[in-house]
Each structure stands twice: as structure tokens, then as C-alpha cells.
Amino acid sequence: ILNNWLVSTNLHPQEWTGAERLGAEPDIAEVIQLINARWPHHAVMVRSLNPFCNELLMQNLKRAGFLMVPSRQVYLYDARQGDSSAFADTRNFQWDSRLLETGAYATEHPLRNPDAQIFQRIAQLYGCLYLEKYSRLNPQYQPEWFQRGHEEGWLDLAVLRRRDSTRSHSHDSPDGIDGVVGWFGSDSVFTTPVVGYDTALPQRLGLYRMLIALTLRRALKKRAVLNLSSGAAKFKRLRGGVPEIEYSAVYVRHLPAHRRAVWHGLAALLQNVAVPLLRRNEL
């Protein structure tokens, strides 16, 4: 898998089109040759592609012989117009923003003097949502992963800290931290591989709503495109999310005929059956 960052939604440099050099990197044809020489029995994949963000790259990958295999439906927020962006006027986003400003929690970004206990809590909050509520097949990040990402600058973390931190809702919460969001990407396009909150706390607190509002406000401030990944489709649509089908580009021309047939069959099945279902049911 090329340019694989081991996060739920992979992002690619906007300058990479697959047909020309990015710095000293070879184009896609050269990459295929290099990989096939070293791993001749492996398929080659580029994941997390969508037509809105990666149109030219997808076109060039197709020309190079890649199959486009649908993977899921993601939700995009185009904030390049700043406060004039379409989603900024949605009632749900405005309600969530008001809660973020007046609710029981204050935003801490950047993190103030984070220690090992803070990163332990961040990992715990991520696990509450992604592992316990969703699926244990999601990446099981350890506290050290969050700490490395924060220290090296490729993971931008923000937390929701109870305004009266001496009276946290949760006895497990150091200094009242009950929500976390982590952003990954560039100034022009970013995504949220980390979202977590204490799911044992009452839903009326609106922790998830505030974390997403914080993320949407970041997009507006930076005038960036936000890829909010998949899941919680109705929630994201109500806040102006625009659906796009995401694809994995897969190169299999060098593989035996029976293995090529499997990939071609899977691509056709997903395109003709799964994609219409995703669109029709607004998943």
C-alpha cells in the first residue's frame, strides 16, 4: 500500500498526480516496477481516494492500469470559502458551536504540558468510541502513539476539559478531560483519525457534537477541505457533509489470471451493488 500512514483515512499530497515527480519521488510507473521487482506476488494499492480530492491522481492511476475498487462513502466539508462555506449556515452546526462555547467543557488546543497520564487518558477515550462502541478491528493505538504524533507534529490533538476540572464527571479523568479529537493532514486537506469521548457519560453533555463542531470550525479557520471519513451518516449530513464514494486503486496486471479475476469480480460487485446501496440508503 503506497503512502500508507496507518490511519483510518489516508491522505495524499495534493501535488502528487501519479504522472510527474514530487520532489525526488518516482512517478507511478516507476513505483510499480520497483515494487514488482521486490514483491512480485503482491497487489499494489493506493487507498482512500475520492473524485473530489484526487480526481487527477485517480485518472492517472487508471491509465497506469489500476482498478478502482469502491470501499465506502465518506463525508466532505469544503471550507475554502471560510465563513461563507455552505455548511457554516446549517442549524445543527450552529447549535453545536453554541454548545462548544457555553457548555460544561472548555477546549484545550494546543495541549498544555501533556504528561504520560494525559496520553493514557487520550488512548482510553479513543478506545471507548473506536474499539468498545464500534469494532475492535479498528487500530488499537497505544498512548505512546499519541505522544509520538503530538511531539513530532503530524498529529494535532485537542481535548475537551471540564471547566470546573475539580469536579469531573468521570473518576478516571485526569484534570477533567472527557473528550479528544486528533487531526492529520495539511493546511489544505485534513481528516480526523482520532475522535474519542467517555461514552459512559450522559449523551446530553454533547461531547461528540462539540468535538465535531471544533473540527468544522478548524476547517473554516484554515479554509481547508475536511474529510470526515465514514459512519454517523445522518449526523454528518445534518451538518452539511457532502457524500463521496471512496476507492482503493489496485494494480494486479502482474498477478496470475485467477487472482486478477478475484479483484476484477470484487470491483464489479462493489461498483454495481454496494455503491447504489450506499447512495440510496444515504450510508
Side-chain angles (χ1 to χ4, degrees), residues 14-207:
Q14 293 296 293
E15 300 86 354
W16 184 42
T17 66
E20 57 190 38
R21 293 177 180 273
L22 174 63
E25 295 298 321
D27 67 17
I28 196 63
E30 294 176 88
V31 169
I32 292 171
Q33 287 183 330
L34 290 169
I35 292 178
N36 287 350
R38 186 169 181 181
W39 296 288
H41 306 297
H42 289 63
V44 182
M45 181 181 290
V46 180
R47 44 181 296 261
S48 301
L49 300 168
N50 70 76
F52 184 86
C53 297
N54 313 108
E55 182 178 15
L56 186 56
L57 176 58
M58 291 177 69
Q59 290 175 358
N60 288 326
L61 289 172
K62 288 178 186 177
R63 292 192 187 102
F66 280 73
L67 284 173
M68 291 296 152
V69 183
S71 55
R72 57 182 181 166
Q73 186 158 257
V74 297
Y75 286 85
L76 305 180
Y77 296 80
D78 186 354
R80 289 175 295 179
Q81 300 302 314
D83 291 337
S84 299
S85 303
F87 71 84
D89 290 330
T90 60
R91 287 185 301 173
N92 290 82
F93 170 58
Q94 292 174 357
W95 291 338
D96 296 346
S97 291
R98 196 171 302 120
L99 177 63
L100 184 64
E101 293 167 0
T102 63
Y105 289 86
T107 302
E108 183 178 309
H109 177 257
L111 301 183
R112 295 194 304 267
N113 302 318
D115 55 19
Q117 188 181 24
I118 298 298
F119 290 112
Q120 182 70 40
R121 177 60 172 168
I122 288 173
Q124 181 186 34
L125 294 172
Y126 166 85
C128 285
L129 187 63
Y130 272 80
L131 304 179
E132 296 175 16
K133 185 174 181 178
Y134 293 157
S135 170
R136 298 200 70 82
L137 295 177
N138 280 314
Q140 298 185 26
Y141 299 128
Q142 301 302 306
E144 293 79 9
W145 185 85
F146 295 98
Q147 183 171 356
R148 284 284 297 273
H150 169 74
E151 292 175 350
E152 295 173 6
W154 50 263
L155 185 63
D156 189 8
L157 291 166
V159 297
L160 293 178
R161 191 187 293 268
R162 187 161 175 77
R163 294 186 192 277
D164 182 0
S165 61
T166 62
R167 296 173 55 243
S168 170
H169 278 107
S170 172
H171 66 277
D172 294 324
S173 172
D175 299 323
I177 294 177
D178 289 330
V180 62
V181 61
W183 303 301
F184 166 81
S186 65
D187 285 338
S188 58
V189 183
F190 72 100
T191 186
T192 53
V194 175
V195 180
Y197 61 93
D198 192 334
T199 54
L201 296 177
Q203 189 174 357
R204 59 179 170 76
L205 291 173
L207 286 163

